[in-house]
Amino acid sequence: MKDLMGQAIWDYHHHKNADDLLTETSISEIDELPVEYFFRAFDDMNLIEQKALELSKGKVLDIGAGAGSHSLYLQEEKGLDVLALDFSPKSIEVCQLRGLKNTVCSDILQFSGETYDTVLMLMNGTGIFQTLDKIDLYLEKLHSLLKKDGQILIDSTDILYMYDRDDDGGVMVPANHYYGEVDYFIHYKLDTEKPIKWLYLDSETLKRAVENNGFKIEKILQEEDSFLARLTKK
């Protein structure tokens, strides 16, 4: 991994020439993603992020912490014990430089540690599941990291709206895989990251998956095609 997103975050933090990231997927064209987006304050976050942070409590594991903005809010404004986790070395370095007390650079499947009252998975938290057939593997891991009365706060987006419709109104989704499975590409300063698998889930598919893996699920908030859900152990 070239860690291009981490490099962009590092460049921005150090006031260097941080170009916009360029992102695209296998079903969408290139789009600009300003790096400053990862450094936004609570008031600039969307309603799903704000609600998840408001609901966070106890010992928190922030998976996919990025530049650490969610973790910093919980640590500084709510006084919570937060561990920021990301597989990007540069991002974790920036998290530390921004004042986060507890960080770890790791893939979630390789991570082992304590159990948590809140596991936070935002900015399309279901993305790390990669593909539909890997959900059980990740949910088993998440189950092991959660305290008996803990919660997972996770968001996703139903991307069915991105597909064309036929003359009869039917949606033209792929025949060989779930429509929320995409290849995700990142470009930064004329360099391109190796594509990763990224999973967008509709709420019903997420519900079936988590209920088959020892969780109960509650939809907390719906914002257009995106939603926030809370998972708890059965």
Side-chain angles (χ1 to χ4, degrees):
M1 183 181 74
K2 297 179 180 179
D3 196 15
L4 295 184
M5 183 173 289
Q7 185 63 55
I9 286 171
W10 193 93
D11 287 348
Y12 184 89
H13 177 77
H14 288 277
H15 306 289
K16 295 188 177 180
N17 182 23
D19 295 348
D20 288 347
L21 287 160
L22 299 177
T23 65
E24 62 178 316
T25 74
S26 48
I27 62 168
S28 63
E29 297 179 351
I30 289 179
D31 192 20
E32 293 183 355
L33 176 58
V35 185
E36 64 185 17
Y37 181 77
F38 296 99
F39 291 81
R40 63 204 184 283
F42 179 84
D43 290 343
D44 297 319
M45 295 177 188
N46 63 46
L47 292 178
I48 284 177
E49 292 172 291
Q50 291 179 348
K51 186 64 174 180
L53 294 178
E54 290 169 358
L55 292 172
S56 296
K57 59 185 180 180
K59 185 182 287 289
V60 180
L61 175 64
D62 181 10
I63 298 176
S69 294
H70 298 138
S71 292
L72 275 171
Y73 175 82
L74 296 178
Q75 176 183 284
E76 302 299 326
E77 302 299 326
K78 296 188 69 172
L80 298 182
D81 182 0
V82 186
L83 176 62
L85 180 149
D86 204 292
F87 63 74
S88 160
K90 288 288 189 181
S91 294
I92 288 298
E93 181 181 342
V94 170
C95 285
Q96 295 166 348
L97 292 170
R98 296 184 76 197
L100 278 170
K101 299 174 183 177
N102 303 308
T103 64
V104 63
C105 184
S106 175
D107 180 275
I108 186 59
L109 293 179
Q110 276 69 58
F111 173 73
S112 61
E114 305 176 51
T115 53
Y116 296 87
D117 300 291
T118 300
V119 174
L120 199 61
M121 303 175 67
L122 296 179
M123 296 180 69
N124 197 66
T126 65
I128 68 166
F129 299 156
Q130 300 182 64
T131 56
L132 206 57
D133 61 1
K134 291 185 177 180
I135 289 181
D136 291 351
L137 177 66
Y138 281 93
L139 288 175
E140 180 181 0
K141 180 65 177 184
L142 292 171
H143 199 279
S144 73
L145 293 171
L146 197 64
K147 290 185 177 180
K148 180 180 179 181
D149 298 322
Q151 60 176 349
I152 297 172
L153 298 171
I154 186 169
D155 70 335
S156 190
T157 299
D158 184 352
I159 61 170
L160 192 63
Y161 72 93
M162 296 181 68
Y163 288 89
D164 294 332
R165 295 181 178 271
D166 59 29
D167 294 337
D168 297 323
V171 184
M172 301 170 65
V173 297
N176 59 346
H177 62 84
Y178 173 65
Y179 69 84
E181 297 176 358
V182 301
D183 293 323
Y184 191 84
F185 302 82
I186 296 172
H187 312 279
Y188 181 62
K189 290 188 175 180
L190 303 179
D191 204 353
T192 299
E193 191 75 77
K194 180 180 178 181
I196 61 172
K197 296 292 183 181
W198 198 248
L199 183 62
Y200 295 91
L201 283 174
D202 68 277
S203 58
E204 285 303 312
T205 300
L206 178 61
K207 181 176 185 291
R208 289 194 296 271
V210 302
E211 289 179 344
N212 288 334
N213 283 276
F215 289 105
K216 295 180 290 185
I217 184 169
E218 172 190 6
K219 185 185 286 187
I220 300 295
L221 185 63
Q222 181 85 38
E223 281 289 306
E224 298 182 346
D225 296 292
S226 299
F227 63 92
L228 173 68
R230 172 162 48 200
L231 313 185
T232 53
K233 289 185 174 181
K234 290 183 178 179

Coordinates of all heavy atoms in Angstrom, one line a residue, residues 161-204:
Y161 N -29.3 4.0 -5.9 CA -29.7 5.2 -6.7 C -28.7 5.5 -7.8 O -28.9 6.2 -8.8 CB -29.8 6.4 -5.9 CG -28.5 7.0 -5.3 CD1 -27.8 8.0 -6.0 CD2 -28.0 6.5 -4.1 CE1 -26.6 8.4 -5.5 CE2 -26.8 6.9 -3.6 CZ -26.1 7.9 -4.3 OH -24.9 8.4 -3.8
M162 N -27.4 4.9 -7.7 CA -26.4 5.2 -8.7 C -26.5 4.3 -10.0 O -25.8 4.6 -10.9 CB -25.0 4.9 -8.1 CG -24.7 5.9 -6.9 SD -23.1 5.6 -6.2 CE -22.0 6.1 -7.5
Y163 N -27.4 3.4 -9.9 CA -27.6 2.5 -11.1 C -28.7 3.0 -12.0 O -29.7 3.6 -11.5 CB -27.9 1.1 -10.6 CG -26.7 0.4 -10.0 CD1 -26.4 0.5 -8.7 CD2 -25.8 -0.3 -10.8 CE1 -25.3 -0.1 -8.1 CE2 -24.7 -0.9 -10.3 CZ -24.4 -0.8 -8.9 OH -23.3 -1.4 -8.4
D164 N -28.6 2.7 -13.3 CA -29.6 3.1 -14.3 C -30.8 2.3 -14.1 O -30.8 1.1 -13.6 CB -29.0 3.0 -15.7 CG -27.9 3.9 -16.0 OD1 -27.9 5.0 -15.4 OD2 -27.0 3.6 -16.8
R165 N -31.9 2.8 -14.6 CA -33.2 2.0 -14.6 C -33.6 1.8 -16.1 O -33.3 2.5 -17.0 CB -34.3 2.8 -13.9 CG -34.0 3.0 -12.4 CD -35.1 3.7 -11.7 NE -34.9 3.8 -10.3 CZ -35.2 3.0 -9.4 NH1 -36.0 1.9 -9.8 NH2 -35.0 3.1 -8.1
D166 N -34.3 0.6 -16.3 CA -34.8 0.3 -17.6 C -36.1 1.0 -17.9 O -36.6 1.7 -17.0 CB -34.9 -1.2 -17.8 CG -35.8 -1.9 -16.8 OD1 -36.8 -1.2 -16.3 OD2 -35.6 -3.1 -16.5
D167 N -36.7 0.8 -19.0 CA -37.9 1.5 -19.4 C -39.1 1.1 -18.5 O -40.0 1.9 -18.4 CB -38.2 1.1 -20.9 CG -37.2 1.7 -21.8 OD1 -36.5 2.6 -21.5 OD2 -37.1 1.1 -22.9
D168 N -39.0 0.0 -17.8 CA -40.1 -0.4 -16.9 C -39.9 0.0 -15.5 O -40.7 -0.3 -14.6 CB -40.2 -2.0 -17.0 CG -40.6 -2.5 -18.4 OD1 -41.4 -1.8 -19.0 OD2 -40.2 -3.5 -18.8
G169 N -38.8 0.7 -15.3 CA -38.5 1.2 -13.9 C -37.6 0.3 -13.1 O -37.3 0.6 -11.9
G170 N -37.2 -0.9 -13.6 CA -36.4 -1.8 -12.9 C -35.0 -1.3 -12.8 O -34.5 -0.6 -13.8
V171 N -34.3 -1.6 -11.8 CA -32.9 -1.1 -11.6 C -31.9 -2.1 -12.2 O -32.0 -3.3 -12.0 CB -32.6 -0.9 -10.1 CG1 -31.1 -0.4 -9.9 CG2 -33.6 0.0 -9.4
M172 N -31.0 -1.6 -13.0 CA -30.1 -2.5 -13.7 C -28.8 -2.7 -12.9 O -27.8 -2.1 -13.0 CB -29.7 -1.8 -15.1 CG -30.9 -1.6 -15.9 SD -30.6 -0.6 -17.4 CE -29.5 -1.6 -18.3
V173 N -28.9 -3.6 -11.9 CA -27.8 -4.0 -11.0 C -27.0 -5.1 -11.6 O -27.5 -5.9 -12.4 CB -28.3 -4.3 -9.6 CG1 -29.1 -3.1 -9.0 CG2 -29.2 -5.6 -9.6
P174 N -25.8 -5.3 -11.1 CA -24.9 -6.4 -11.6 C -25.6 -7.8 -11.3 O -26.2 -8.0 -10.3 CB -23.6 -6.2 -10.8 CG -23.6 -4.8 -10.3 CD -25.0 -4.4 -10.1
A175 N -25.4 -8.7 -12.2 CA -25.9 -10.0 -12.1 C -25.0 -10.9 -11.3 O -25.4 -11.9 -10.7 CB -26.2 -10.6 -13.4
N176 N -23.7 -10.6 -11.2 CA -22.7 -11.5 -10.7 C -22.2 -11.1 -9.3 O -21.3 -11.8 -8.7 CB -21.5 -11.6 -11.6 CG -20.8 -10.3 -11.9 OD1 -21.3 -9.3 -11.6 ND2 -19.6 -10.4 -12.4
H177 N -22.7 -10.0 -8.7 CA -22.3 -9.7 -7.3 C -23.3 -8.7 -6.8 O -24.1 -8.0 -7.5 CB -20.9 -9.1 -7.3 CG -20.7 -7.8 -8.0 ND1 -21.0 -6.6 -7.5 CD2 -20.2 -7.6 -9.3 CE1 -20.7 -5.7 -8.4 NE2 -20.2 -6.3 -9.5
Y178 N -23.3 -8.5 -5.5 CA -24.1 -7.5 -4.8 C -23.8 -6.1 -5.3 O -22.7 -5.7 -5.4 CB -23.9 -7.7 -3.3 CG -24.6 -6.6 -2.5 CD1 -26.0 -6.5 -2.4 CD2 -23.9 -5.7 -1.7 CE1 -26.7 -5.6 -1.7 CE2 -24.5 -4.7 -0.9 CZ -25.9 -4.6 -0.9 OH -26.5 -3.7 -0.2
Y179 N -24.8 -5.3 -5.5 CA -24.6 -4.0 -6.1 C -23.9 -3.0 -5.3 O -23.3 -2.1 -5.8 CB -26.0 -3.4 -6.5 CG -26.9 -3.0 -5.4 CD1 -26.7 -1.7 -4.8 CD2 -27.9 -3.8 -4.9 CE1 -27.5 -1.3 -3.8 CE2 -28.7 -3.4 -3.9 CZ -28.5 -2.2 -3.3 OH -29.4 -1.8 -2.3
G180 N -23.7 -3.3 -4.0 CA -23.0 -2.4 -3.1 C -21.5 -2.7 -3.1 O -20.8 -1.9 -2.4
E181 N -21.0 -3.7 -3.8 CA -19.6 -4.0 -3.8 C -19.0 -3.3 -4.9 O -19.3 -3.4 -6.1 CB -19.4 -5.5 -4.1 CG -20.0 -6.4 -3.0 CD -19.8 -7.9 -3.3 OE1 -19.3 -8.2 -4.4 OE2 -20.2 -8.7 -2.5
V182 N -18.0 -2.4 -4.6 CA -17.3 -1.6 -5.6 C -15.8 -1.7 -5.4 O -15.3 -2.0 -4.4 CB -17.8 -0.1 -5.6 CG1 -19.3 0.0 -5.8 CG2 -17.3 0.5 -4.3
D183 N -15.1 -1.4 -6.5 CA -13.6 -1.1 -6.4 C -13.4 0.4 -6.2 O -14.0 1.2 -6.9 CB -12.9 -1.6 -7.7 CG -13.0 -3.1 -7.9 OD1 -12.9 -3.8 -6.9 OD2 -13.2 -3.5 -9.1
Y184 N -12.6 0.7 -5.2 CA -12.4 2.1 -4.8 C -11.0 2.5 -5.2 O -10.0 1.8 -4.8 CB -12.7 2.2 -3.3 CG -12.8 3.6 -2.8 CD1 -13.9 4.3 -2.9 CD2 -11.7 4.3 -2.2 CE1 -14.0 5.6 -2.4 CE2 -11.7 5.6 -1.8 CZ -12.9 6.2 -1.9 OH -13.0 7.5 -1.4
F185 N -10.8 3.6 -5.9 CA -9.5 4.1 -6.4 C -9.2 5.4 -5.7 O -10.1 6.3 -5.6 CB -9.5 4.2 -7.9 CG -9.8 3.0 -8.6 CD1 -11.2 2.6 -8.8 CD2 -8.8 2.2 -9.2 CE1 -11.5 1.4 -9.6 CE2 -9.1 1.0 -9.9 CZ -10.4 0.7 -10.1
I186 N -8.0 5.6 -5.4 CA -7.5 6.9 -4.8 C -6.3 7.4 -5.6 O -5.4 6.6 -5.9 CB -7.1 6.8 -3.3 CG1 -8.3 6.4 -2.5 CG2 -6.4 8.1 -2.8 CD1 -7.9 6.1 -1.0
H187 N -6.4 8.7 -6.1 CA -5.3 9.3 -6.8 C -4.8 10.5 -6.0 O -5.6 11.3 -5.5 CB -5.7 9.8 -8.2 CG -6.5 8.7 -8.9 ND1 -5.9 7.7 -9.6 CD2 -7.9 8.6 -9.1 CE1 -6.8 7.0 -10.2 NE2 -8.0 7.5 -9.9
Y188 N -3.5 10.7 -5.9 CA -2.9 11.9 -5.2 C -1.6 12.2 -5.9 O -0.7 11.4 -6.0 CB -2.8 11.5 -3.7 CG -2.2 12.7 -2.9 CD1 -2.9 13.9 -2.8 CD2 -1.0 12.6 -2.3 CE1 -2.4 15.0 -2.1 CE2 -0.5 13.7 -1.5 CZ -1.2 14.8 -1.4 OH -0.7 15.9 -0.7
K189 N -1.5 13.5 -6.3 CA -0.3 14.0 -6.9 C 0.3 13.1 -8.0 O 1.4 12.7 -7.9 CB 0.8 14.3 -5.8 CG 0.4 15.4 -4.9 CD 1.5 15.7 -3.9 CE 1.2 17.0 -3.1 NZ 2.3 17.4 -2.1
L190 N -0.5 12.8 -8.9 CA -0.2 12.0 -10.1 C 0.2 10.6 -9.8 O 0.8 9.9 -10.6 CB 1.0 12.7 -10.8 CG 0.8 14.1 -11.3 CD1 2.0 14.7 -12.0 CD2 -0.4 14.2 -12.2
D191 N -0.1 10.1 -8.6 CA 0.1 8.7 -8.2 C -1.2 8.1 -7.9 O -2.2 8.7 -7.6 CB 1.0 8.6 -7.0 CG 1.7 7.3 -6.9 OD1 1.5 6.4 -7.7 OD2 2.6 7.2 -6.0
T192 N -1.3 6.7 -8.1 CA -2.6 6.0 -7.9 C -2.4 4.8 -6.9 O -1.4 4.1 -7.1 CB -3.1 5.5 -9.2 OG1 -3.4 6.6 -10.1 CG2 -4.4 4.7 -9.0
E193 N -3.3 4.8 -6.0 CA -3.2 3.6 -5.0 C -3.8 2.4 -5.7 O -4.7 2.5 -6.5 CB -4.1 4.0 -3.8 CG -3.9 3.1 -2.6 CD -2.7 3.3 -1.8 OE1 -2.5 4.2 -1.1 OE2 -1.7 2.4 -2.0
K194 N -3.3 1.2 -5.2 CA -3.9 0.0 -5.7 C -5.4 0.0 -5.3 O -5.7 0.3 -4.1 CB -3.1 -1.2 -5.1 CG -3.7 -2.5 -5.5 CD -2.9 -3.7 -4.8 CE -3.5 -5.0 -5.2 NZ -2.7 -6.1 -4.6
P195 N -6.3 -0.4 -6.1 CA -7.7 -0.3 -5.8 C -8.0 -1.3 -4.6 O -7.4 -2.3 -4.5 CB -8.4 -0.7 -7.0 CG -7.4 -1.5 -7.8 CD -6.1 -0.9 -7.5
I196 N -9.0 -0.8 -3.8 CA -9.4 -1.7 -2.7 C -10.9 -2.0 -2.9 O -11.6 -1.3 -3.6 CB -9.3 -1.0 -1.3 CG1 -10.1 0.3 -1.3 CG2 -7.8 -0.7 -1.0 CD1 -10.1 1.0 0.1
K197 N -11.3 -3.1 -2.3 CA -12.7 -3.5 -2.3 C -13.4 -2.7 -1.2 O -12.9 -2.5 -0.1 CB -12.9 -5.0 -2.0 CG -12.3 -5.9 -3.1 CD -13.0 -5.8 -4.4 CE -12.5 -6.7 -5.5 NZ -13.2 -6.6 -6.8
W198 N -14.6 -2.2 -1.5 CA -15.3 -1.3 -0.6 C -16.8 -1.7 -0.7 O -17.3 -1.9 -1.7 CB -15.1 0.2 -0.9 CG -15.4 1.1 0.1 CD1 -16.5 2.0 0.1 CD2 -14.7 1.4 1.3 NE1 -16.4 2.8 1.3 CE2 -15.4 2.4 2.0 CE3 -13.6 0.8 1.9 CZ2 -14.9 2.9 3.3 CZ3 -13.1 1.2 3.1 CH2 -13.8 2.3 3.8
L199 N -17.4 -1.8 0.5 CA -18.8 -2.3 0.5 C -19.8 -1.2 1.1 O -19.7 -0.8 2.2 CB -18.9 -3.5 1.4 CG -20.2 -4.2 1.5 CD1 -20.7 -4.7 0.2 CD2 -20.2 -5.4 2.5
Y200 N -20.8 -0.9 0.3 CA -21.9 -0.1 0.7 C -23.1 -1.0 0.9 O -23.4 -1.8 0.0 CB -22.2 1.0 -0.4 CG -21.2 2.0 -0.7 CD1 -20.2 1.8 -1.6 CD2 -21.1 3.2 0.1 CE1 -19.2 2.7 -1.9 CE2 -20.2 4.1 -0.2 CZ -19.2 3.9 -1.1 OH -18.2 4.8 -1.4
L201 N -23.7 -0.9 2.0 CA -24.8 -1.8 2.4 C -26.1 -1.1 2.5 O -26.2 0.0 3.1 CB -24.5 -2.6 3.7 CG -23.5 -3.7 3.6 CD1 -23.2 -4.2 5.0 CD2 -24.0 -4.8 2.7
D202 N -27.2 -1.7 2.0 CA -28.5 -1.2 2.3 C -28.9 -1.7 3.7 O -28.3 -2.7 4.2 CB -29.5 -1.7 1.3 CG -29.8 -3.2 1.3 OD1 -28.9 -3.9 0.7 OD2 -30.7 -3.6 1.9
S203 N -29.8 -1.1 4.4 CA -30.1 -1.4 5.8 C -30.7 -2.8 6.0 O -30.4 -3.5 7.0 CB -31.1 -0.4 6.3 OG -32.3 -0.3 5.6
E204 N -31.4 -3.3 5.0 CA -32.0 -4.7 5.2 C -30.9 -5.7 5.0 O -30.9 -6.7 5.8 CB -33.1 -4.9 4.1 CG -34.4 -4.2 4.5 CD -35.0 -4.6 5.8 OE1 -35.0 -5.8 6.1 OE2 -35.3 -3.7 6.6

